[in-house]
Structures are given as structure tokens and as C-alpha cells.
Amino acid sequence: MANNKQGGTGSLIKIAYRNIWRNKRRTAFCFSAVGIAVFFIVIYSSLIDGMTQSINDLVQVFEFGHVRVVSAGYEAEQELMPVWHPVANGTSWRELAASIHQEIPGVRAVFPRIAAYATLQESTIKHALLWGLDIEREMDLSQGGNNFNLTRRNDGLVAGAWPESGRNQVAVGHVFAEKSGLRIGDQIPLRTTSAWFSDSFWRPVISGIFDFDYIKYDEQVIIADFDRLQSLLVLGEGTQSLVVFLDDDRQSTYAAARMQGLLGEENVVSDWNDNYWVAVMKMVIPIYTIVFLVFLIVASFLIINTVVMIIHERIKEIGMMGCLGMSRSEIVKVFFFESLFLAAFGALCGIIIGGLISGIGQYYPIRMGDMYGNTFAEMPMSNSIFFQFSFGRLAMAWLLGVAVASVFTLIPSLKSAFVEPVEALRR
């Protein structure tokens, strides 16, 4: 035993490592408990991050960009999607975009958009949302455009062509087309309300069908060329909203503040972090962290029970260790290192299996919409949710598993220090 003392902590670690294999069945149970807890932490955190990323992407691509500009009047009546409250009182959107590009650093693209309710007159679907886009620029990635289908990372067009500039054409979602029985080349008679509160009737031709893998848009939206819809709704050179994309979305708050000062109080400038669902997910993540800790604490009880049993079974051995010159602190370290090994190896098993599944899941998504139908229709979430894999997440899960298990097994390890050698040898 003198050699062990001379060897210091290294020798104690060797003793602890050998001890964990003395009862392989019990060791396997401890590995499993911690491993399962860490596995679920990796899987659920990867899935939650994937859901969060899906919401962030959809909010940015379809609603806010990184920064959105609307008039104060629109903000007050936004549930009506009013086109009679254009940005900057109808100032040319091109002039506004030019001033934003000139005054705000880091702006990648500025797009005008219009969204207006429409009543369909000869369709099984009676109501839809007209969405006016500068389609050519929005779809052109070289000009800061977007991948509207975030699952396949493309523009989402599955048949035909996008409406041409100024033409009497629209594109509809594949769910919309299936439900209404419409095909490319068919007309859609519809009615909407112009900026002058007059009824505007339109009979556009379907030029294309899209699949954004986003049920809300695939089912309810009719996409029109911005210039054509701008003219139909009598907006002149103005626009209902401007969406601004930045080189770095982390600068959105700063850019929004600069734009607010540039455009004045009659306009409302919001960054994408102001979206309701984005804020909800930010509040939910700490709750999930608490749940993860509960998983680990429950798993740690098995290790605590194991350490207590080991101490009880080795009571004479502890007495012998004390008689041979090991101090109480050294005896505590042996049992603590045993529990540390149990936690570390168990957590390692958990992150290996969880990492493999989340790594595969970043290429093969979960089809949330196929499983739950329209449950998430009002929530900005893609039908396909990808796991978010990262080595940093695996490292954090491992460290969390080891730290929590180790802290909770420190108390039973201390119990070994209070075993009197003489009393232990009498048992």
C-alpha cells in the first residue's frame, strides 16, 4: 500500500478503474442508465435545435427577412393585411431600397412584397392569399435571393414556370392545385381589394405549381409577379412592405435601429427576432435544459445506489485499506473515481449512439407534416425537420452527464471516509 501512496492519484485511478470491472453486470447497468439519459439529451437537443432552425429560416424567408419595414398604419391593422397603408406613404420602393443600401452597412438585398386576401369565384377553395414577389430577384441567389423550399434547398417549382414580369400569370401550391382540381393553363377568377378600397377583379392563368414543403403556403398562397399585383392594387410605385436581408443576421437589431432612424416614425421597422414564434422558442429552450438535468439526476441515482452497495460490500476491504496506511481522503478518491468512470463511460456510449442518429438525421429529415397533418399549420415550421448535428453539442452533453453524475455520487463516496478500520475488520 505504501507503493500506492507513493504513486499518488495515478495509482488511485488505476485501482478505481480495475474495481469497476469486478461486477460487470452492475457496471453495465450504470453505463446504460447514464448512457440512455445522455442519448436522449443529444437526440432531443438536436431535434429542438432543428425545430428552432426551421422556424428561424421560415420566418426569415417568408415573413420578415432579417428586417421588415411596414407603415405604422399597416402595423395597427396587420390582421387585415391592408394594402392601403403603403410604406413611407407610397414613396417609390426603389428609392427606399437605394437609400437603405447606401446608408446601412451589410445589406445584401432589399425586396418589395405585397400580401392581400383574395376571394376565389370558381373554385372549391374560396379564399386564398395573393403574394406579390419580385420573383426573378427573389429566386436569384446571386442577388441575395432565397431558397423557398428549405428541405431540398431550391426554389420549390415542381411544374411549369414562375409568372413572368408584368404578365397575367400566377403560381399556386401543389396542395392548392390538388384540392381545387386546377392545372397549368387554367384560369383563376378572383376578387381582391385595392389600395383605393375598390374591388379588383382578375383572371390570371396558372403558369406554375410549387412545393415549398410548408403547408401554410402550399395550401393557401397564390404567387403573382410584384409589378402586376402592384398595378392591380393601385399602389403606384409603392409597396406594402420591404424585407431586408443582411450579410449577417446577427446584425439585424442594429440594422433595424438604423433603418428606423432613416425612415422615420411613420414606418415600423422590425427585426426577425421580434417574431412571436422565434421568441417562444427562445423561452422554451431553458425549460428543456431543466428537463435534461432531471434526466441526468434520475440516472445518477443508479450510480449513487451502486456506490452505496459497493461500500457496503467492501466494508472489510475499506478497513484493510485504512490499516495499510491509506488516508480517508484517498479512500474517498478511489470510490469517487469509480463513480466518475461509470459516468464517463456511460455518457460516452450515449453520445456515440445519439451522435450517429443525429448525424444521419441532418441528411434524412423527420416528416412532421406527414405524421401530424395540419397540426402545425399556424406555426412557421417546415414539413421536414432536420436534426442539427455538432461536435460541440456532443461534447457539452458528455460533460453535462459526467458533471451531474459525479456531483451526485460525491456524497455516497464520502461515506467511505467514515468507516473505522477496526470496526470494518470485525464484520
Side-chain angles (χ1 to χ4, degrees):
M1 186 55 62
N3 290 335
N4 285 334
K5 288 190 72 176
Q6 291 174 2
T9 302
S11 295
L12 299 178
I13 291 174
K14 288 180 182 179
I15 295 171
Y17 178 77
R18 290 171 185 156
N19 284 344
I20 67 172
W21 302 110
R22 291 170 64 173
N23 189 325
K24 294 183 175 61
R25 180 179 296 178
R26 189 159 54 201
T27 296
F29 280 126
C30 290
F31 283 1
S32 299
V34 178
I36 290 171
V38 173
F39 167 80
F40 279 110
I41 288 174
V42 171
I43 292 298
Y44 278 114
S45 62
S46 298
L47 182 59
I48 291 166
D49 285 351
M51 294 171 64
T52 301
Q53 188 61 51
S54 176
I55 290 172
N56 292 348
D57 287 343
L58 290 178
V59 166
Q60 291 178 5
V61 170
F62 290 93
E63 297 184 33
F64 273 67
H66 296 144
V67 178
R68 186 186 67 173
V69 182
V70 296
S71 68
Y74 177 93
E75 185 73 8
E77 303 176 14
Q78 58 182 310
E79 67 278 0
L80 302 176
M81 292 192 176
V83 295
W84 48 88
H85 293 302
V87 176
N89 295 318
T91 300
S92 168
W93 74 265
R94 290 181 174 82
E95 293 179 8
L96 294 172
S99 64
I100 290 173
H101 272 291
Q102 182 177 355
E103 299 294 332
I104 312 297
V107 173
R108 190 176 79 226
V110 181
F111 298 131
R113 290 183 180 176
I114 301 170
Y117 290 118
T119 301
L120 308 183
Q121 298 174 313
E122 298 176 11
S123 171
T124 54
I125 297 176
K126 297 303 179 184
H127 301 282
L129 182 70
L130 273 174
W131 200 30
L133 303 178
D134 187 349
I135 295 172
E136 184 175 353
R137 290 181 62 235
E138 290 253 14
M139 304 298 179
D140 187 352
L141 294 177
S142 66
Q143 296 191 40
N146 296 302
N147 284 315
F148 281 89
N149 187 306
L150 296 172
T151 301
R152 293 190 292 270
R153 298 292 173 181
N154 60 24
D155 65 2
L157 190 70
V158 293
W162 291 112
E164 296 180 16
S165 179
R167 296 287 298 276
N168 193 45
Q169 297 175 336
V170 293
V172 299
H174 70 104
V175 178
F176 181 98
E178 291 168 6
K179 287 186 174 182
S180 61
L182 295 171
R183 297 174 297 178
I184 293 174
D186 291 344
Q187 289 187 326
I188 310 179
L190 56 84
R191 176 176 62 83
T192 187
T193 303
S194 74
W196 292 91
F197 300 99
S198 60
D199 287 336
S200 295
F201 294 90
W202 192 25
R203 296 181 66 90
V205 175
I206 297 176
S207 65
I209 296 175
F210 60 83
D211 176 6
F212 290 160
D213 206 25
Y214 181 19
I215 188 65
K216 180 178 178 180
Y217 277 70
D218 292 341
E219 186 177 43
Q220 303 173 6
V221 169
I222 299 172
I223 295 179
D225 171 65
F226 175 82
D227 291 337
R228 184 71 183 87
L229 193 57
Q230 182 190 49
S231 175
L232 179 74
L233 298 178
V234 201
L235 278 167
E237 293 298 317
T239 183
Q240 182 191 56
S241 67
L242 286 173
V243 292
V244 181
F245 289 90
L246 308 171
D247 294 327
D248 183 355
D249 63 2
R250 293 173 297 182
Q251 298 298 316
S252 60
T253 302
Y254 167 77
R258 288 285 302 272
M259 280 182 230
Q260 188 68 72
L262 177 67
L263 299 174
E265 294 300 324
E266 68 272 14
N267 298 293
V268 176
V269 181
S270 308
D271 79 83
W272 66 279
N273 293 290
D274 295 331
N275 179 267
Y276 170 79
W277 291 108
V278 172
V280 165
M281 291 306 295
K282 287 181 178 179
M283 291 188 293
V284 165
I285 289 174
I287 297 174
Y288 278 106
T289 302
I290 295 173
V291 173
F292 296 155
L293 288 173
V294 172
F295 281 172
L296 285 171
I297 291 170
V298 171
S300 298
F301 277 108
L302 182 57
I303 299 182
I304 293 172
N305 184 57
T306 299
V307 173
V308 172
M309 290 175 62
I310 290 172
I311 293 171
H312 179 74
E313 290 174 357
R314 298 183 193 166
I315 194 73
K316 288 188 176 181
E317 186 178 320
I318 293 172
M320 185 68 70
M321 293 162 70
C323 289
L324 292 176
M326 287 186 71
S327 66
R328 289 185 173 184
S329 64
E330 287 175 325
I331 295 172
V332 170
K333 286 179 182 179
V334 169
F335 288 99
F336 177 71
F337 287 141
E338 284 189 45
S339 62
L340 190 64
F341 279 127
L342 293 173
F345 288 139
L348 182 62
C349 294
I351 66 168
I352 289 173
I353 299 173
L356 286 173
I357 293 176
S358 61
I360 294 170
Q362 67 179 332
Y363 300 106
Y364 300 97
I366 297 176
R367 303 288 296 176
M368 299 288 286
D370 294 345
M371 290 190 291
Y372 299 108
N374 291 341
T375 302
F376 300 102
E378 296 304 317
M379 190 175 182
M381 186 181 296
S382 174
N383 181 42
S384 299
I385 303 299
F386 291 88
F387 283 92
Q388 296 292 303
F389 174 86
S390 76
F391 287 105
R393 181 180 294 104
L394 299 183
M396 287 299 297
W398 184 82
L399 289 172
L400 187 64
V402 173
V404 172
S406 299
V407 168
F408 275 82
T409 54
L410 181 60
I411 295 175
S413 297
L414 290 171
K415 183 179 179 181
S416 64
F418 297 95
V419 176
E420 293 295 336
V422 176
E423 292 297 324
L425 291 173
R426 286 177 179 176
R427 298 187 185 182

